[in-house]
Amino acid sequence: MSPKEKNPLADPSRRAPETRIVHGGTERSQHGETSEAMFVNSGFVYPTSADAEARFLNKAPGHIYGRFSNPTVDMFQKRMALLEGAEAARGLATGMAAVTTAVMSQVRAGDHVVAARALFGSCRYLIEDYLPRWGVASTLVDGRDPANFAAAMQPNTKAVFLETPTNPTLELVDIAAVADIAHAHGAKLVVDNVFATPINQSPLQLGADLVVYSATKHIDGQGRVLGGAILGSQELIGGDIHTFIRQTGPSMSPFNAWTLLKGLETLPLRVRQQSESAARIAEVLSGHSKVARVFYPHHQDHPQVELGRRQMRTGSTLVAFEVAGGQAEAFKVADALAVILISNNLGDAKSIITHPTTTTHQRFSEEVRLDMGIRPSLLRLSVGLEATDDLIADLMYGLDQI
Ligand SMILES: *Cc1c(COP(=O)(O)O)cnc(C)c1O
């Protein structure tokens, strides 16, 4: 190589994901700071009135107002887009703001949406309760079989929404198969990739049109801030999505963007460690006499393990399991734990255990819960960064209390 040739790594697209999310998107101010600067301001000034006019006409680059864009939020968006391999990204106030924006920006009264029934509680609320209130019909299907999506499509179906793995039972949906079905009907596929993270699964590469995140989870990963993100083509993100955010205001705060930028730098390290621990824990739990069933996408007992191995790089940082018995036994296990915390967040450095029946999925009738596979004996474990042996010992102690 001649020394005059440009260093290929000067092109960010030639860098590995780990490199992209340490350096990607950084825009240094005149002070040359190493870490990203936090711009905590709502407005921007223009050198002249003509310059202000040009920016409002979209004829000159530059920020206008914090609801539309902010330099720190921009850095977060660029870094997310580099990590995901997306053309564009937008940061939002919360994961739910991202889901609501992604779905609502694609529909109007008279349209129809198809969604997998096993969804994060608030996502299901949006699809099942709010959309019909606004004249958008919705159909929920069992997402495990792509044929169920095909059967639910209507001429006015504009969007298909799913999450995989699902919360809390870690069922899988075949993203590539559902993308083909959505596109054959002219509908957009929106994938909630929170449980898999960008490290373990790449929905855009599998055919999805939009991918959404609750950045509150693994992307922060340390229980500090709320945030969300939507990623996809420049056409969709710069068009429908940008307009929806600009006009309705679910914008990300600069402080949260800054915190999440720091979270992104360690995301691959954390998610790989947490996934490795989770796989070991799933293996230990699956052989335990007080455990009735284990749900883990890369475990040989998972009914969709072949799809899990094809679609996901690891089996996820979460493990769900049913204890022998019912709610009383599940409570006994959770209450006996010393390291693992009882909480409903996930993706955190601290391991967290949740009893979905009485917390995250409490508002559903028992019939709907059981239909989603959520039994009173089910516990969902979000594996953190503690020593795996400590987590296993903590769980063994808890299970011994049954
Ligand atoms: C947490 C979560 C959301 C919502 O994110 P918030 O940041 O809490 O608004 C959406 N989908 C899934 C799968 C989640 O786990």
Side-chain angles (χ1 to χ4, degrees):
M1 201 204 304
S2 105
K4 283 189 196 117
E5 218 167 286
K6 199 176 165 199
N7 184 337
L9 289 171
D11 172 1
S13 72
R14 306 283 292 271
R15 302 176 184 186
E18 291 84 350
T19 310
R20 289 182 201 179
I21 64 172
V22 173
H23 294 276
T26 305
E27 277 198 42
R28 299 206 157 82
S29 78
Q30 72 276 23
H31 300 298
E33 62 282 351
T34 315
S35 178
E36 302 71 27
M38 198 194 316
F39 291 89
V40 186
N41 61 304
S42 47
F44 300 86
V45 295
Y46 313 96
T48 65
S49 304
D51 190 71
E53 182 187 25
R55 279 197 220 175
F56 269 82
L57 285 169
N58 241 340
K59 286 184 173 156
H63 300 282
I64 295 175
Y65 186 54
R67 174 153 37 82
F68 318 158
S69 67
N70 166 280
T72 311
V73 176
D74 264 11
M75 289 191 254
F76 169 72
Q77 293 172 166
K78 284 185 186 137
R79 194 167 283 182
M80 278 298 299
L82 283 168
L83 173 63
E84 192 75 37
E87 285 174 17
R90 286 292 182 278
L92 291 106
T94 64
M96 281 321 300
V99 171
T100 305
T101 299
V103 174
M104 294 304 290
S105 65
Q106 300 306 310
V107 295
R108 61 182 65 227
D111 287 345
H112 174 245
V113 170
V114 176
R117 66 179 181 181
L119 293 177
F120 181 74
S122 299
C123 297
R124 181 146 167 170
Y125 203 92
L126 171 74
I127 302 286
E128 209 176 13
D129 291 79
Y130 280 119
L131 289 185
R133 272 201 228 175
W134 295 322
V136 178
S138 58
T139 307
L140 291 169
V141 301
D142 181 337
R144 288 172 293 184
D145 183 356
N148 295 335
F149 288 91
M153 298 301 286
Q154 297 176 10
N156 58 340
T157 307
K158 292 290 157 52
V160 175
F161 179 72
L162 61 89
E163 81 184 47
T164 181
T166 64
N167 177 36
T169 52
L170 306 178
E171 287 174 2
L172 305 179
V173 184
D174 187 333
I175 297 173
V178 177
D180 285 346
I181 293 162
H183 297 155
H185 290 81
K188 298 279 190 291
L189 174 61
V190 181
V191 174
D192 179 335
N193 204 37
V194 169
F195 270 48
T197 82
I199 307 305
N200 279 338
Q201 183 169 274
S202 302
L204 297 176
Q205 273 79 60
L206 295 166
D209 299 285
L210 290 169
V211 54
V212 293
Y213 289 103
S214 164
T216 316
K217 310 297 166 53
H218 305 78
I219 293 172
D220 174 23
Q222 288 151 86
R224 300 166 296 191
V225 299
L226 296 165
I230 309 180
L231 299 102
S233 67
Q234 177 55 39
E235 189 190 347
L236 274 176
I237 299 289
D240 291 343
I241 302 289
H242 182 77
T243 304
F244 192 92
I245 296 169
R246 179 170 171 152
Q247 307 303 349
T248 66
S251 320
M252 172 175 271
S253 90
F255 174 78
N256 290 10
W258 180 82
T259 309
L260 295 166
L261 271 162
K262 304 322 290 176
L264 277 176
E265 291 179 357
T266 57
L267 182 71
L269 284 177
R270 286 184 285 109
V271 168
R272 278 180 203 137
Q273 167 65 28
Q274 288 165 303
S275 301
E276 215 171 279
S277 272
R280 254 190 78 200
I281 289 169
E283 188 57 40
V284 171
L285 288 177
S286 74
H288 197 285
S289 62
K290 302 284 175 59
V291 174
R293 214 173 144 194
V294 174
F295 306 81
Y296 190 68
H298 275 207
H299 194 273
Q300 69 270 11
D301 293 345
H302 194 288
Q304 298 165 289
V305 63
E306 187 268 330
L307 173 61
R309 291 189 176 146
R310 174 154 47 92
Q311 185 166 274
M312 300 175 69
R313 291 178 200 101
T314 85
S316 138
T317 67
L318 289 114
V319 186
F321 59 101
E322 287 169 7
V323 300
Q327 180 174 316
E329 286 71 24
F331 274 24
K332 233 179 228 170
V333 173
D335 291 349
L337 300 172
V339 175
I340 300 166
L341 307 173
I342 300 172
S343 180
N344 47 276
N345 201 2
L346 62 98
D348 200 274
K350 296 177 174 66
S351 291
I352 285 170
I353 202 153
T354 309
H355 184 248
T357 297
T358 52
T359 60
T360 54
H361 291 71
Q362 181 225 104
R363 78 172 181 92
F364 295 105
S365 68
E366 195 184 348
E367 190 193 343
V368 171
R369 262 199 311 269
L370 292 177
D371 190 46
M372 288 193 279
I374 303 168
R375 296 196 177 83
S377 57
L378 182 77
L379 289 166
R380 184 193 79 188
L381 175 67
S382 169
V383 177
L385 290 172
E386 302 93 340
T388 316
D389 288 342
D390 280 352
L391 296 176
I392 291 172
D394 206 23
L395 287 164
M396 295 303 107
Y397 178 87
L399 287 165
D400 276 348
Q401 308 313 305
I402 297 181

